[in-house]
Amino acid sequence: MSDTLRQVGIDIQESEENRGLVAAIRADNPELTVRHLPGLVKIQAAGQIVINRETVERELGREWETGEFQLAIVSFAGNLSEWDDDQIIVKWEH
Amino acid sequence: MTQTAPRRKLPLKERYALLTRDLDWDPSYVTKEQLFPYTSYEGIKVHDWDGWEDPFRLTVDAYYKYQAEKDKRLYAVLDGFAQSQGHLGLADASYLNAIKLFIQGVTPLEYAAHRHFAYLARYLEGPAPRFAALCQSVDELRHCQTQIHTISNYNKYYGGFHSWSKMHDRVWYLSVPKSLFDDAMTAGPFEFLISISFSFEYLLTNLLFVPFMSGASFNGDMPTMSFGFSAQSDESRHMTLGLEAIKFLLEQDEGNVPIIQDWIDKWFWRAYRMSALVAGMMDYMLPKPVMSWKEAFELYFEDQMLGGLFPDLEFYGIRPPRHVQDAIAEKDKLSHEVYKVLHNFSFAASFTTQAPNEQHMKWLAEQYPETFDQHYRPVWEKHHRIEANGGRMFFQGLPQLCQVCQIPMVFTEKDDPGKTSFRSSEFRDEQFHTCSEGCQWIFEREPEKFVQAWLPVHQIYQGNCGGPSVPEVLEWYGIQEGDNGEYKGSLDHKSWIGWHNGDVEQGV
């Protein structure tokens, strides 16, 4: 067991569509590190990253299903501890 | 039926439960053991298959909907690129050597994965992992097909792409990825899950694919970037399967822990050794390099896996892979040692190589301040001098191969970059050579398996590869004029210059 909050991360494809998604993730996770690589946005945070459907819908201005996240994600580091109709959470479990 | 108002959709969790677990049944006219004959002999104990969590909660209808959307987006990019002569916008034709290595080395593995996950989709006892394996089997076939489609466009204009499937079965450097997958496919279903789903997909796939696709983006190769990211989006599901598999097995029975630890120890090193080819490619084959092997290794492996994942697995009594410190110790050397071999032997490869130019060496020196100027720059300067006098050094002879990873014995001792690392073991009164502590440990754990390795150099000496001379072997490999050797002055290089000067017509 480690005492410090370990980093979790998500890599997202850089695209028009995903800009709103990244903005929503920024809004819901204030302590985010964002790094740009060619074609990629690399997001990291200590402890966990939360994606809320409602925030994404507000940013995109349309309905959004959490399943659509599969079209955006390239990779992740962590554990998908929640994925339902309203929320996706990536964090380490222990 | 008359049309009524559309019913509200069921919540995701409920839909997933109905469409996976609810479709399971108990056999009535055969026993469970007859239906699932392969899940007991590895010593793994599973008490309750319902303990399997699937965080993705993907249902079959959603799966096909999203995959179709991914393909639609990808094929739009491929068409646009082909229609606009996109290949002329690459950073340089030499960039495509990385893609040649990819279709020869990686694409056949996608197909092998497709086959083996279909097998798991039939033979695993739980409905949730069966369905996850079925999706992955379809994914892997999609990856294989999209890679062939994407790269076929380059095959119209450049050498080295034409016989990748045959070459995968025959050519010396391709026995490295092939033997890894053959090793995994000839293991039991649980070892396969730990080897491919966990050690390969979760621990190392980021390190292998993400910087590579970023490199494609940076070097103007939009189609490769697109199929890469499209495949990686499935990969995140595969990583989840790998992580879920390991946690499930560790939670099911205390007795599973040492078995799993052994497999992690073996498969981390197997997959890591194979990634050495990718290290050489990342640092040397991209005209516009984007991220060094060392940086990618630190970011994707040391930070994310050793820093994030393994503390999570410590809870179950799992420690980091046995030889992980050896991998960390050689991160400043690995890519250089491998590319020197590829450069020496590219007369017998289906890609071309060249010594890095001054600008590229400056970048390498920045990335590897501890080792490059001291150990590797002198080597490349020597090659430049040879070439300035009209020569080109190729190694004449056949290298000794490691019995386990099948890479030529070029790695050096942890504490001495000037000393080649040799290990040997005796089995049935014969000597077997390995390149490292890791490969030696793997050999001695299962010598009966690894003595059966199909080693390309041995096979040439035994007369099984077309004949005793280089031209005969190259013909048997399927290597044609223009596929191999030095890049400068090659057919690809000449075409590239001609197309850009306008004195060679496209497609002729």
Side-chain angles (χ1 to χ4, degrees), chain B residues 75-92:
Chain B
Y75 281 90
V77 171
L78 298 191
D79 282 346
F81 192 82
Q83 287 160 2
S84 66
Q85 300 301 318
H87 76 97
L88 294 175
L90 293 171
D92 183 55

Side-chain angles (χ1 to χ4, degrees), chain B residues 196-214:
Chain B
I196 301 302
S197 293
F198 178 75
S199 305
F200 192 67
E201 304 266 21
Y202 200 98
L203 285 185
L204 291 165
T205 190
N206 280 328
L207 178 61
L208 299 180
F209 277 75
V210 180
F212 185 47
M213 297 313 158
S214 254

Side-chain angles (χ1 to χ4, degrees), chain B residues 202-270:
Chain B
Y202 200 98
L203 285 185
L204 291 165
T205 190
N206 280 328
L207 178 61
L208 299 180
F209 277 75
V210 180
F212 185 47
M213 297 313 158
S214 254
S217 153
F218 206 47
N219 286 274
D221 184 2
M222 212 163 51
T224 296
M225 179 196 77
S226 301
F227 88 60
F229 286 159
S230 187
Q232 275 297 123
S233 67
D234 299 340
E235 216 68 58
S236 57
R237 219 171 343 96
H238 304 171
M239 288 166 66
T240 305
L241 172 59
L243 194 57
E244 183 45 44
I246 198 164
K247 288 187 169 178
F248 170 75
L249 296 174
L250 292 167
E251 282 165 5
Q252 283 294 310
D253 199 284
E254 276 286 300
N256 294 344
V257 177
I259 302 176
I260 302 270
Q261 180 70 58
D262 234 27
W263 287 339
I264 292 174
D265 291 350
K266 172 186 172 181
W267 286 100
F268 159 72
W269 190 259
R270 289 288 274 128

